[in-house]
Amino acid sequence: MTKTVRLGLLGLGTVGRGVYRIVDENRELIERRTGVRLEVTRAAVRDPDKDRGVAVPAGVLTDDPRQVVAAPDVDIVVELVGGSDAARSWVLEAVDAGKHVVTANKALLAEHGDEIRRRAAEAGVALGYEASVAGGVPVIKTLRESLAANRVLSVYGIVNGTCNYILTRMREDGSAFDAVLADAQAAGYAEADPSFDVDGVDSAHKLAILVNLAFGVPVAIDDVHTEGIAGVNPSDIEFGREFGYTLKLLAIAKAAAGPDGRLEVEARVHPTLVADDRPIAQVGGVYNAVQIVGDSVGDLMLYGRGAGERPTASAVLGDILDVARIADSDAAAAYDGGGAAPDGRIRPIAEVSSLYYIRFTVEDKPGVLSQISGILGRYDISIESVIQKGRDAGKTVPLVITTHRARERDMQDALVEIDRLPSVAEPGVLIRVEDDG
Ligand code: NAP
Ligand code: HSE
């Protein structure tokens, strides 16, 4: 028997338009496959007169999201506007009105996820957010359902298509950062404010969602150590290549035991050098990949398009159809799956240990390397390899060092001392190197 489910879309931009188109094009297929017939009964936009390339019937469009949220002919509110404050109000109003909610909005969930999850559970409605992490890649469903019986040890990946696209083009054809960012914006990959992408904030939002789901640990967005790619110097991509590494913006979460035995989770986003032969290094362009290690499943990797109209809309529709099928059951309130280990905590970055790549700009004169290596040695940091490029007596040259595993606090303290040396012309550039994955 067919069940008709009525959708109220908030937003008909890149993702909303994709949802509208897929519903329109695949309605019969979806109905045959799932027994659910989807109808878009309401849609809110900022400007109803804008040509958006989809033929929306008269009476469906409004410029007032509250009309959609309150409409009696809407079963699932699909939030595809973005931003966190107004979206929070609309989503909470929808929940309070007994409507299920599906959203692609990672900023909203990273900042207000606890409150929204709690209110949805209290109201007995489902909250779906598959599209909020890694676009079309079903990482949320994998963690929530397929790996529900695993203790997750790490989640690690490329979760921002825009940054991956930029870094890939910089490495492959030497493109300039600004030109590639403009291409990513034109393709609909970038956030409304692209600084969210390039400053690492979008990846941090996604990592916070993954940490909550995979480890159950409460996480505030400020707990996620975040560095973006805006300051990436092309020379580090090239030196990395000489060492056999590819530069990626990685979101990394790893479980560890704290000193008091409590679960601690590293949660960090930063440019990272990974060995060229690692699977994650091969993930190029707008593609995302998430590697998960579970205590039973071992390691697995999910790969696919992390942004763009159709891939993201595909994930939104996956949620809509799941929610449609459980809508009237007790399972709806537990659909979001997060928050299972409230006693855990996020490990501060100073306590994390890593391998490092450091590039110094130094005067080309005898004794400089021994000064630098002496400071690193005093902080218990062991050098793995060194390259110095060029020979320009009396002028500055790059000196690149890779290290064995060291503690972040020691590395930062050593860098401060090294930067004070008279023969060091510019602050050292530090990039972490990952050997997992
Ligand atoms: P977008 O293209 O900027 O579309 C936003 C939509 O929201 C537009 O239709 C806009 O109306 C509407 N809107 C904005 N303010 C509004 C208001 N006050 N009242 C009513 N409607 C309003 O954004 P998007 O790229 O589709 O992204 C939507 C969400 O999906 C964001 O949370 C984003 O982070 C997330 N997401 C995006 C992607 C992607 O690849 N783009 C991937 C994953 C997740 P107008 O059309 O009239 O301007
Ligand atoms: N701006 C995001 C990205 C969209 O580039 O990955 C997908 O969340």
Side-chain angles (χ1 to χ4, degrees):
M1 207 183 87
T2 296
K3 171 180 183 180
T4 298
V5 171
R6 300 161 303 175
L7 306 178
L9 304 185
L10 303 181
L12 267 179
T14 302
V15 185
R17 188 172 52 235
V19 170
Y20 195 90
R21 283 185 169 142
I22 296 174
V23 169
D24 220 28
E25 292 165 16
N26 291 354
R27 181 175 283 113
E28 311 304 329
L29 169 80
I30 291 171
E31 186 177 335
R32 280 199 303 279
R33 190 177 275 159
T34 64
V36 174
R37 185 170 183 84
L38 296 176
E39 301 290 348
V40 176
T41 48
R42 307 280 172 146
V45 292
R46 197 167 22 202
D47 174 9
D49 297 326
K50 191 194 239 177
D51 177 10
R52 51 194 75 249
V54 287
V56 183
V60 169
L61 273 188
T62 169
D63 63 1
D64 181 3
R66 293 206 149 81
Q67 279 192 17
V68 174
V69 164
D73 58 355
V74 166
D75 303 308
I76 302 179
V77 171
V78 187
E79 188 279 304
L80 304 170
V81 170
S84 51
D85 293 337
R88 169 184 167 274
S89 309
W90 301 327
V91 163
L92 289 177
E93 282 174 36
V95 162
D96 290 345
K99 315 233 170 186
H100 306 285
V101 172
V102 169
T103 179
N105 189 338
K106 47 274 162 132
L108 172 71
L109 290 165
E111 287 170 29
H112 303 294
D114 287 345
E115 179 187 25
I116 294 171
R117 268 191 293 274
R118 181 175 44 75
R119 291 270 286 271
E122 283 166 9
V125 297
L127 172 69
Y129 52 94
E130 180 64 68
S132 67
V133 180
V137 184
V139 60
I140 300 296
K141 194 176 179 77
T142 301
L143 281 166
R144 194 187 56 224
E145 295 179 18
S146 313
L147 303 182
N150 277 256
R151 196 172 289 280
V152 176
L153 307 176
S154 65
V155 180
Y156 166 114
I158 295 169
V159 291
N160 186 274
T162 300
C163 289
N164 204 39
Y165 181 78
I166 292 172
L167 291 176
T168 304
R169 292 269 311 271
M170 286 175 79
R171 176 179 164 101
E172 285 179 356
D173 54 30
S175 297
F177 182 93
D178 290 340
V180 197
L181 173 58
D183 288 351
Q185 287 177 285
Y189 304 148
E191 294 305 302
D193 176 355
S195 68
F196 271 47
D197 295 295
V198 298
D199 292 345
V201 175
D202 178 75
S203 294
H205 285 149
K206 292 166 177 168
L207 188 66
I209 294 168
L210 291 175
V211 165
N212 184 270
L213 185 59
F215 304 99
V217 170
V219 51
I221 192 64
D222 291 345
D223 295 338
V224 179
H225 176 83
T226 306
E227 297 170 27
I229 63 164
V232 163
N233 188 313
S235 69
D236 294 314
I237 295 178
E238 285 315 309
F239 284 128
R241 197 199 296 264
E242 287 187 38
F243 283 108
Y245 291 126
T246 303
L247 188 68
K248 295 290 182 191
L249 184 72
L250 289 194
I252 300 169
K254 295 181 185 177
D260 54 3
R262 276 197 306 170
L263 171 65
E264 287 192 353
V265 178
E266 289 180 17
R268 47 197 170 95
V269 169
H270 48 69
T272 311
L273 289 165
V274 285
D276 291 338
D277 60 359
R278 300 284 180 182
I280 210 106
Q282 318 295 325
V283 176
V286 71
Y287 281 87
N288 283 195
V290 179
Q291 178 170 327
I292 303 168
V293 183
D295 63 347
S296 299
V297 72
D299 58 312
L300 65 87
M301 188 159 144
L302 300 164
Y303 168 86
R305 289 183 182 272
E309 177 181 321
R310 297 260 174 170
T312 312
S314 158
V316 171
L317 276 152
D319 261 346
I320 289 172
L321 290 165
D322 267 356
V323 169
R325 281 176 286 185
I326 60 164
D328 303 321
S329 74
D330 291 343
Y335 183 72
D336 73 81
D343 290 343
R345 69 163 197 146
I346 302 300
R347 176 172 283 185
I349 185 74
E351 293 169 28
V352 163
S353 67
S354 178
L355 312 175
Y356 294 91
Y357 158 109
I358 334 162
R359 176 172 55 80
F360 299 105
T361 303
V362 298
E363 277 177 48
D364 188 10
K365 64 179 191 188
V368 175
L369 177 59
S370 75
Q371 287 178 320
I372 291 176
S373 62
I375 294 174
L376 291 174
R378 270 197 282 110
Y379 283 93
D380 208 21
I381 298 165
S382 154
I383 292 175
E384 189 211 23
S385 61
V386 180
I387 52 175
Q388 184 196 310
K389 281 285 167 180
R391 187 75 248 274
D392 209 349
K395 301 247 175 68
T396 60
V397 289
L399 174 73
V400 182
I401 293 177
T402 63
T403 75
H404 294 291
R405 191 163 289 281
R407 210 163 59 123
E408 178 83 18
R409 177 179 291 126
D410 296 331
M411 180 54 81
Q412 295 293 352
D413 289 348
L415 267 189
V416 169
E417 260 192 56
I418 292 170
D419 285 346
R420 283 198 204 113
L421 292 172
S423 48
V424 171
E426 292 170 18
V429 172
L430 174 148
I431 302 177
R432 297 172 194 86
V433 178
E434 267 304 309
D435 57 353
D436 297 342

